[in-house]
Amino acid sequence: MPRLTVQGFGPDGDELRASAILDLALGDPVTATVRVGGPNGDVLRLAGVPVAVPGGSTDRFALDIRLPEAMNDTGMTWHELLGAMTHESGWRLSVSVADPAVGAARARHGIVTGAGIRESEANRAWGQWP
């Protein structure tokens, strides 16, 4: 089953950089949806974020996601946001990617929907930190 695991995130110059591992090869180009949620709900939701796929094996691919400061409309700098996420409870970062290969992998196992998956999202893999 395709699994997306958020490995970590941090500042890289003026960008917020997140890395994830996907247990499936995807087509090109790959885009992601990134959400940052706090104790009171989502504070940032970005769709269509370009993802670099620097390499991987035939069944595990590294995903490199970069969010420029211009995408940050939270009212905090990336450093302030990261400080809150790492020192206060209730924060999370989630990443999802959509590709027909995800749905095809699920279909090979006879899975088209399940807990937390609407049928329209069968092509989507997602992961979350923490």
Side-chain angles (χ1 to χ4, degrees):
M1 289 306 305
R3 183 177 55 205
L4 180 68
T5 305
V6 176
Q7 298 291 306
F9 54 91
D12 187 9
D14 290 337
E15 296 178 320
L16 177 65
R17 186 174 182 182
S19 64
I21 299 290
L22 181 64
D23 294 342
L24 182 71
L26 298 179
D28 193 34
V30 177
T31 61
T33 298
V34 178
R35 282 187 163 155
V36 176
N40 298 318
D42 284 352
V43 296
L44 180 69
R45 183 182 185 281
L46 302 168
V49 177
V51 175
V53 184
S57 64
T58 57
D59 58 353
R60 291 186 61 121
F61 280 79
L63 306 179
D64 184 19
I65 304 155
R66 294 174 179 262
L67 306 175
E69 186 66 44
M71 292 181 146
N72 183 356
D73 64 357
T74 64
M76 296 182 270
T77 67
W78 287 135
H79 288 283
E80 291 169 336
L81 185 63
L82 288 170
M85 292 177 72
T86 55
H87 295 101
E88 299 173 18
S89 62
W91 286 87
R92 69 196 173 288
L93 178 130
S94 63
V95 174
S96 66
V97 294
D99 191 276
V102 174
R106 287 191 172 118
R108 282 193 298 275
H109 294 280
I111 298 170
V112 293
T113 190
I117 302 174
R118 293 188 297 257
E119 191 172 344
S120 63
E121 294 180 333
N123 290 337
R124 185 171 297 278
W126 60 91
Q128 181 171 294
W129 176 91

